[in-house]
Amino acid sequence: MKKEDQQSALKETVITIRGLHKSFGGLPVLQGIDLDLFKGENFVVLGRSGSGKSVLIKIIAGLLKPDAGTVNVLGQHVDLLNDKELQSLRLRLGFIFQSSALYDSMTIRENLEFSMVRNFKTLSAKEVDHAVYEVLDAVGLKDKINAMPADLSGGQVKRIGIARTLILHPEIMLYDEPTAGLDPITCTEIIELINEVKTRFNTSSIIITHDLTCAKETGDRIAMLQDGHFTRLGNFGEVFDTDDIRIKRFFDYNFIK
Amino acid sequence: MNIKRTYIRIIDSFYWLIRKHRSDDGIFTHKLDRFFLETYDIHKFISRFFRELFTKPFEFREFIRQSYEVGVRSIPLITLTGFVIGVVFTRQSRPPLVEFGAASWLPSLIGIAFVRALGPLVTALISSGKVGSHIGAELASMKVTEQIDAMDVSAVNPYKFLVVTRVAATTIMIPLLMLYCTFVGMLGSFMNVHQNELTSFVTFFESAFAQVSFLDVSAAVFKSILYGFTIGIVACYRGFNATNGTQGVGRAANRAVVFSMFLIFAEELLIVQITHWIAAF
Ligand SMILES: Nc1ncnc2c1ncn2[C@@H]1O[C@H](COP(=O)(O)OP(=O)(O)O)[C@@H](O)[C@H]1O
Ligand SMILES: [Mg+2]
């Protein structure tokens, strides 16, 4: 046994996926995904648009049902859970949508406390307030508490989307293209925030992206999703140490040669 | 599940009928397939409403907010249409009655017309346009921007928060709006009658309600409850199942209105028949 293998065997896995298949009306999207997410790591999934990255994390969160394969999240088989079990599992997951999906008819405060006041009814108003300020502080947007989502900039919307999940102290974060559509400076800030969340809230994350800077800066391990399965897996250097023309192109575009 | 099996059996027997009469089952069976699948979906959507209405928790604040949205915000439009219809209907009904020397029947005619048909129908149609399109578009835009999925993954039941509250609000507020619409309509009618026949307020309403029976009023309230439920559930169903981005939002709002209007007319026909039966006993 190699040293690395021994290490990974010792590590606790929080998500285990085996042989995951999913197609939509005859169009195969995921064809045999195997994935282990270790506790405390940032796992980056790279892939072209339409390669099924979002489908993958939606299956993990139970928003879509797999056609075949097993999806084990925090010791539970997601597709076998009833509504109640799924609900309590989801409290332990943070899902950040590509569009952030803030509730646009509610203020930032209402967005943040929406799930908390409904799932933890015994909390006092003061405790909820405290939690709201704690996460707003973590994302650096304390002054926006009474703003509406429409009044925020793209980067601020992303931060609130992250804060909205952090308030429940999730064990796993699922980021769907956290830096897509942002300017380079804001991207850097979001990348820093992702790394900060990992240490401050002690989370394990799956980060979906096609932004290689984000992948390099945040990822402990990186996987390349192509043709429905992971074609490359390893750290940043290992994944791009290849002659595969498609992967080379991916690299060349991001780091202008 | 039993219901699903029944649906499948019905679909199968339909296919059998079609195959018997058509050699090629292409687009036609495909459309039929979709129709039955949708019927099954709607059935599930409606039964989920009753299941979730009676399981805790009830989103009371959101319900109040929606009731305000449906009820109070519709008052200006209902006032205008109710009043205008009252005036116009009275004006148009007068000449034939005068011809038969029966102008004094005008208030009774108005009373019956408004309580039995105009009040409930006008309220339902106006509301399906105003409220139905609003709910349809609102939920559809939440659906296509993944806000509904966001509720789901944050362990809040979006059906309970969005659908149960809205359908409950329309089911309760539309009957109230109907009573208000009937009142305003008769007020409009009274103005016209007062102008022409110098009838007093008390006399007008006494003769207007003289011919209105308890059955008429209860049928009107019952109808309006049904219309309210129809408007809410159709709009929510369309919104909740919207697809295809911005285009889907417009389509959901549009379909919510068209489909609920269609159902309202169908229900009206059915209830008129049933009330006639009951009255005949
Ligand atoms: N709910 C759905 N119904 C039908 N097709 C879908 C659905 N969700 C995703 N797809 C299809 O799956 C493929 C992968 O989608 P997605 O995971 O969103 O890609 P990306 O990697 O860009 O996130 C696309 O071709 C998309 O059309
Ligand atoms: Mg995506």
Side-chain angles (χ1 to χ4, degrees):
Chain A
M1 219 183 210
K2 277 198 308 187
K3 202 173 157 211
E4 274 175 32
D5 288 342
Q6 271 174 353
Q7 263 178 355
S8 66
L10 288 174
K11 280 190 222 161
E12 190 185 335
T13 60
V14 285
I15 296 180
T16 312
I17 295 176
R18 291 289 175 267
L20 173 62
H21 284 74
K22 177 77 187 174
S23 36
F24 291 102
L27 170 83
V29 177
L30 300 179
Q31 313 176 59
I33 298 271
D34 295 322
L35 184 157
D36 289 292
L37 179 68
F38 298 120
K39 197 173 170 65
E41 83 168 332
N42 279 351
F43 186 91
V44 169
V45 178
L46 283 172
R48 297 178 56 168
S49 291
S51 57
K53 306 184 295 295
S54 299
V55 170
L56 173 63
I57 57 167
K58 281 183 180 167
I59 288 174
I60 293 172
L63 283 174
L64 294 172
K65 290 239 171 286
D67 296 341
T70 58
V71 182
N72 188 308
V73 180
L74 296 166
Q76 288 168 295
H77 285 278
V78 177
D79 50 323
L80 301 180
L81 300 179
N82 63 31
D83 287 352
K84 215 169 186 162
E85 291 163 336
L86 188 59
Q87 196 160 335
S88 52
L89 178 64
R90 280 170 170 170
L91 286 174
R92 303 165 70 190
L93 299 180
F95 194 115
I96 289 103
F97 288 86
Q98 185 171 347
S99 59
S100 293
L102 299 187
Y103 310 128
D104 49 21
S105 61
M106 303 180 201
T107 64
I108 299 307
R109 177 199 289 274
E110 288 165 336
N111 263 280
L112 295 178
E113 63 186 26
F114 185 78
S115 172
M116 188 171 227
V117 296
R118 286 173 176 77
N119 284 298
F120 303 97
K121 291 217 167 66
T122 51
L123 291 179
S124 68
K126 216 171 173 181
E127 287 168 310
V128 173
D129 226 39
H130 180 79
V132 167
Y133 274 106
E134 186 198 350
V135 290
L136 277 179
D137 181 48
V139 300
L141 285 174
K142 266 183 163 171
D143 53 326
K144 296 291 180 198
I145 185 157
N146 291 316
M148 297 302 282
D151 303 330
L152 303 184
S153 70
Q156 290 171 334
V157 165
K158 245 320 97 78
R159 284 162 182 275
I160 296 298
I162 294 172
R164 187 172 67 180
T165 62
L166 286 181
I167 198 166
L168 296 171
H169 289 277
E171 293 158 56
I172 300 174
M173 297 288 277
L174 305 167
Y175 296 93
D176 196 347
E177 311 214 6
T179 57
L182 301 176
D183 64 88
I185 298 171
T186 314
C187 278
T188 319
E189 288 170 3
I190 296 292
I191 288 168
E192 279 166 10
L193 180 60
I194 291 173
N195 284 328
E196 200 185 307
V197 164
K198 178 183 157 183
T199 47
R200 184 163 168 179
F201 291 85
N202 199 13
T203 54
S204 327
S205 314
I206 294 181
I207 300 156
I208 280 172
T209 188
H210 49 233
D211 170 4
L212 291 195
T213 313
C214 174
K216 194 174 179 187
E217 299 295 327
T218 60
D220 298 314
R221 282 193 303 150
I222 294 168
M224 190 72 171
L225 179 58
Q226 280 176 316
D227 310 323
H229 58 273
F230 292 147
T231 51
R232 313 277 308 167
L233 179 66
N235 65 30
F236 192 80
E238 289 164 2
V239 166
F240 289 97
D241 181 20
T242 169
D243 291 330
D244 187 326
I245 184 75
R246 289 192 296 173
I247 294 174
K248 272 186 141 40
R249 272 202 199 139
F250 216 107
F251 188 83
D252 291 350
Y253 179 80
N254 275 262
F255 297 100
I256 308 151
K257 260 196 174 168
Chain B
M1 252 193 9
N2 235 335
I3 298 157
K4 189 162 189 175
R5 216 174 300 144
T6 316
Y7 269 99
I8 291 171
R9 201 168 298 155
I10 295 171
I11 295 170
D12 278 348
S13 32
F14 259 87
Y15 282 164
W16 178 79
L17 264 176
I18 291 160
R19 295 226 180 80
K20 232 177 115 175
H21 296 289
R22 293 167 62 101
S23 51
D24 59 321
D25 38 314
I27 186 98
F28 186 63
T29 42
H30 180 69
K31 279 204 168 139
L32 207 68
D33 211 8
R34 286 237 315 254
F35 173 77
F36 278 113
L37 281 176
E38 183 142 29
T39 314
Y40 174 64
D41 264 1
I42 294 173
H43 179 110
K44 265 202 320 200
F45 198 80
I46 294 174
S47 44
R48 189 172 174 192
F49 172 78
F50 289 105
R51 211 170 47 240
E52 302 218 0
L53 179 66
F54 296 112
T55 52
K56 280 187 176 177
F58 185 72
E59 293 279 352
F60 198 73
R61 274 185 51 178
E62 178 68 7
F63 166 70
I64 297 293
R65 211 173 70 83
Q66 290 305 324
S67 298
Y68 180 83
E69 196 70 36
V70 174
V72 179
R73 294 262 170 116
S74 299
I75 284 180
L77 192 60
I78 295 280
T79 309
L80 183 72
T81 34
F83 192 83
V84 169
I85 287 175
V87 173
V88 170
F89 189 75
T90 311
R91 274 194 67 121
Q92 305 284 34
S93 310
R94 183 174 292 110
L97 284 184
V98 168
E99 208 169 298
F100 294 113
S104 58
W105 286 3
L106 205 46
S108 324
L109 175 72
I110 303 293
I112 289 175
F114 258 96
V115 173
R116 283 195 189 161
L118 287 178
L121 262 187
V122 167
T123 313
L125 294 179
I126 296 285
S127 305
S128 92
K130 184 176 186 296
V131 178
S133 64
H134 180 247
I135 294 177
E138 188 187 22
L139 293 201
S141 67
M142 290 188 77
K143 166 77 191 220
V144 302
T145 56
E146 299 184 307
Q147 291 176 52
I148 291 181
D149 283 341
M151 286 186 186
D152 240 329
V153 292
S154 70
V156 175
N157 181 346
Y159 191 97
K160 230 184 175 65
F161 182 77
L162 298 172
V163 178
V164 172
T165 53
R166 281 166 175 74
V167 177
T170 55
T171 310
I172 290 171
M173 294 319 281
I174 304 264
L176 295 180
L177 284 176
M178 179 277 290
L179 294 176
Y180 175 74
C181 177
T182 307
F183 173 74
V184 173
M186 289 175 67
L187 211 62
S189 167
F190 164 73
M191 303 276 237
N192 191 275
V193 170
H194 182 70
Q195 221 175 26
N196 290 275
E197 282 93 14
L198 305 175
T199 318
S200 79
F201 189 79
V202 176
T203 323
F204 174 84
F205 274 92
E206 266 179 355
S207 43
F209 283 121
Q211 299 296 321
V212 175
S213 68
F214 178 70
L215 180 67
D216 290 332
V217 177
S218 32
V221 171
F222 174 77
K223 267 200 289 203
S224 299
I225 292 175
L226 190 64
Y227 297 160
F229 179 76
T230 305
I231 291 168
I233 205 93
V234 168
C236 286
Y237 176 78
R238 287 303 182 198
F240 229 63
N241 291 295
T243 47
N244 298 338
T246 346
Q247 221 186 6
V249 176
R251 195 177 305 145
N254 182 261
R255 283 186 177 175
V257 175
V258 173
F259 194 48
S260 61
M261 281 190 179
F262 170 78
L263 284 182
I264 285 166
F265 282 120
E267 287 162 4
E268 171 76 23
L269 277 175
L270 203 72
I271 291 169
V272 165
Q273 286 305 320
I274 292 171
T275 358
H276 272 274
W277 272 353
I278 296 174
F281 274 115

